[in-house]
Amino acid sequence: MSLEQYYKGLYYLGREKFSGRFTVSAHGLIEFDDGKGNSENISLAKSTLDLIGDPETTLQISWNNEAEVKCSLLCHDPAVFDTLLACHLLPEMQNQLHILQNKQQRQANREKHRVPLYMTYIMVFFISTYFMYSYSVPVVAELIPYEWEKKIGSFAFENYQTGKAVIDNSQVNSAMDMIVQRIDEFDGSDISYELIVIDADMVNAFAFPGGYIVVTSGLINSAEQAEEVAAVLSHEITHVLERHGMRKLVRQAGLGILIGIVFGDVSALSQLMELSSQLDNLSFDRSQEEHADDGGIKIMQAAGISPQHLASFFKKIKQLDSASGDIPEIFRTHPLTEDRIKRVAAAEEPRQVVAFELDWEKVKQGVK
Amino acid sequence: MKFNIIYPGAFSTLEVSLDESEAIKAESGAMITMSETVDVDSKMERGLLGGLTRKLLTGETLFFQTLTASRGKGDVLMASAYPGEIAILELDGSEEYILQKDGFLAAEESIEISTKAQNLTKGLFSGEGFFVMRISGKGKIAISTYGGIHKISLAPGETKIIDNSHMVAWSANSNYNIEKASKGWVSSFTSGEGLVCRFQGPGEVYIQTRNSPGFGSWVRQFIPTR
C-alpha cells in the first residue's frame, strides 16, 4: 500500500543528478521517478540516513548500488520525516529518524534567527566599544606616569608661549608667587607649579597638565583683590590634580594611542605631545567643572581664602558677559551656569581667613 | 524568456530575450542596452528591511533593477563591472544555491534572493565574508565571476578542496569546512595557500579561475608610490 504522498527529491547516481519526485510505501520502500523515464526503487532498510547541507536540514538517504556507485536521495521537505516514521521500520531506524527530525528542526530554527542574531551582535559590539572607550578613558589617564604628564605639560606650555607677550614685572611676579605658594602649601600634593602672566585683554586662566599655569593680564585687571585670582587658580589647579587635561587628551587621542599607553609604548608619549597643542581650547564637561569647583573650595578653605571670592568673581564675569554679549574666554572652556554659582556661594567659610598682604592696585598697575 | 551568453570569455555579456509582460531582476547598473519596449524600475527585494540587510551585510546594492517588457517583446544586454565569465543556473525548486556577494548578475522574477549568515569560521576564513546570498525558487539565474567559470560536480560523499576566495556559487546541499592547506601550519602558509575550503558532495560548486583579492595584490606592486 502506498501512502500516495509525493515529495520533491534529488537523486544522485554518482555525479549524475536527477530531479524528480518520490513516494514512500508502508514498508519503507521509496519509489523515485524523474518524469523522463528514469526511476529507482530504494529500500530504506539498506540505506544510511543523515542530514547534510548548510544549514544541515536536507535529509540524505544514501546507499551503494550493484555497481558499487555511491547513490543518494536528497529531500529538504521537513514533512518527509513524519511519512518515514509512519512506515514499518526497525526500531533502530525509527530512533535515528526521531533524532534526525529533532536535529533538523533545531537547525532550521537556528538558521532563521541567524541573520537577526548577527545584526544584534554587530550592534552590541559597536555600542559596547563606545562605552568601553568612554569608561576606559579615566582609567587609562590614570596609567600615564607623572613624568609623561610633566613632559606633555611643559611641551604644551612652551608652545603656548611662542608669539605671546609674557609680562615680566617684579610687582606682578612676586604677587603671583605669593598666591601660588599659598595654594601649593594647601593643595595636598607634591606638584610644584610654574606660572606666567601673558599680556592679553581677555579674562582667562588655565593650567596645563603637570602644573603649568597661564594667567592673562585681563584676569588680573578684572579682579578686585588678590583673593579672586587665588580662587580662580584653586579651581584651575584642581583640574591639574584630578588630571582632567590628561583625560581630555586621551579622549582625543583615539584607540591606538590608548592601547600604546596601556602597554607603556613610548611613541604614545610623542603622539600625546603633538595633540597637546589643542589643550588650551578643549573644554571640560560639567561634572569635571563641578569637581574642580569642589576641589578649589577645599583648597581655599584650607588656605584661609573665602570661597565667596570665587562666587563673586563668577557673578561679576557673568554680568560683564551679559553686558557685552561676549562670553569671556575663561568660560568658553569652562561653561558657567547659575547652579555652579549657587553651589560655590553656598560653600562653608574657612575657619580663619588670612588675607594676602598685597597692594592689589599696584599689582594691577604692573600689568597695564 | 531566453538567456544567452554572447562574447564568451573575459568579456562575457548576457543577452536576455523577454516576451511581452515578462520581467527580470538584475544587479543595479548591470544593463548595457535594452529595447524601447522595456521599462527599467528599481525595487527593494524583500522590502526595506530586506534591502537594508542586504546592503549592510552582503555589500550588495540596496535596490535591484527590474526590467519589464511592458510594451511588447524586447531584449536586454547586461554585464557585471569586472571582466570574467557568466554562467546560467537553472533552478527547479528542488535545490537551493548559495552565492557569494558579487556573484549575482540577473535572475527571473520567480527567483528569491535572501541574506544568509555563515558561521564564524566560514565568515572569517572562507574569503566570502559573513553574509552571502541564498537563492531559491524556480527559474534561471545568471551568475558572474572574475576570471573563467568552472563547474565541479560532486558525487555523494566525494570531497574537493577549493582555495578560499574562489567560490562563486554552490549548492546548499554541499557543505564545506575550512581547513589548513597542508598538515602543518607553517607549510600551509609558506605554500601560499593558507586556508582552504573542503567541500563535500553531493552537489555542484561553481568556482572562478581567478580571484579579485589576488589580482588586486598583484597589481599593487606596479602602482607607483608618490
Side-chain angles (χ1 to χ4, degrees), chain B residues 1-5 14-19 22-27 45 78 86-93 95 97 99 103-113 135-144 206:
Chain B
M1 187 180 307
K2 262 191 228 146
F3 278 43
N4 186 26
I5 295 165
L14 178 70
E15 184 185 45
V16 182
S17 313
L18 297 163
D19 278 335
E22 276 185 330
I24 49 159
K25 53 189 162 206
E27 183 191 21
E45 182 83 4
M78 277 176 292
I86 294 169
I88 294 162
L89 273 64
E90 199 142 8
L91 271 65
D92 63 358
E95 203 174 4
Y97 274 86
L99 194 58
F104 177 74
L105 180 62
E108 282 187 54
E109 281 252 276
S110 50
I111 294 281
E112 266 187 55
I113 299 164
I135 311 291
S136 54
K138 264 185 180 177
K140 286 193 270 285
I141 165 167
I143 58 171
S144 59
Y206 290 85

Side-chain angles (χ1 to χ4, degrees), chain A residues 8-10 12 14-15 17 19 52-56 58 60 70-72 74 76 111 114-115 118-119 122, chain B residues 53 57 92 94-95 97-98 115-120 122 130-131 134 153 155-156 158 172-173 175 202-204:
Chain A
K8 266 190 195 164
L10 270 181
Y12 277 91
R15 286 177 188 162
K17 179 172 78 173
S19 172
I52 59 161
D54 182 15
E56 282 179 40
T58 305
Q60 176 175 244
K70 275 194 173 171
C71 302
S72 72
L74 311 183
H76 65 237
E111 183 70 9
R114 193 170 271 168
V115 171
Y118 275 32
M119 291 285 267
I122 293 170
Chain B
T53 312
L57 301 185
D92 63 358
S94 61
E95 203 174 4
Y97 274 86
I98 296 173
T115 304
K116 177 186 162 52
Q118 302 206 87
N119 69 23
L120 190 70
K122 289 181 182 177
F130 278 98
F131 299 96
R134 173 180 278 273
S153 297
E158 190 181 354
N173 291 328
N175 209 344
E204 274 89 56

Side-chain angles (χ1 to χ4, degrees), chain A residues 89-101:
Chain A
L89 296 173
L90 289 171
E92 297 93 68
M93 194 154 245
Q94 290 264 2
N95 227 346
Q96 201 200 353
L97 272 168
H98 271 298
I99 295 169
L100 291 178
Q101 186 178 28

Side-chain angles (χ1 to χ4, degrees), chain A residues 191-310:
Chain A
I191 299 177
S192 55
Y193 302 99
E194 199 175 309
L195 182 143
I196 54 161
V197 180
I198 59 157
D199 188 11
D201 288 340
M202 59 189 183
V203 178
N204 202 3
F206 53 86
F208 290 107
Y212 299 92
I213 306 162
V214 176
V215 174
T216 62
S217 54
L219 179 89
I220 293 174
N221 269 323
S222 67
E224 269 157 46
Q225 42 189 316
E227 279 78 1
E228 285 186 359
V229 176
V232 172
L233 292 185
S234 307
H235 170 101
E236 289 304 328
I237 278 167
T238 310
H239 280 311
V240 175
L241 296 176
E242 304 245 330
R243 309 184 104 179
H244 291 163
M246 286 314 290
R247 279 192 209 176
K248 284 192 307 188
L249 212 57
V250 171
R251 199 181 289 271
Q252 288 274 312
L255 210 59
I257 301 181
L258 224 71
I259 294 166
I261 295 166
V262 174
F263 291 103
D265 179 4
V266 184
S267 71
L269 173 63
S270 61
Q271 281 166 304
L272 281 178
M273 278 180 153
E274 272 170 41
L275 278 172
S276 67
S277 60
Q278 302 171 15
L279 265 178
D280 57 317
N281 54 34
L282 288 176
S283 64
F284 294 108
D285 64 36
R286 235 173 77 189
S287 77
Q288 286 177 331
E289 287 303 338
E290 279 175 12
H291 268 110
D293 286 344
D294 293 346
I297 289 167
K298 269 193 197 136
I299 294 173
M300 284 185 268
Q301 283 165 340
I305 305 161
S306 166
Q308 293 309 319
H309 292 296
L310 188 60

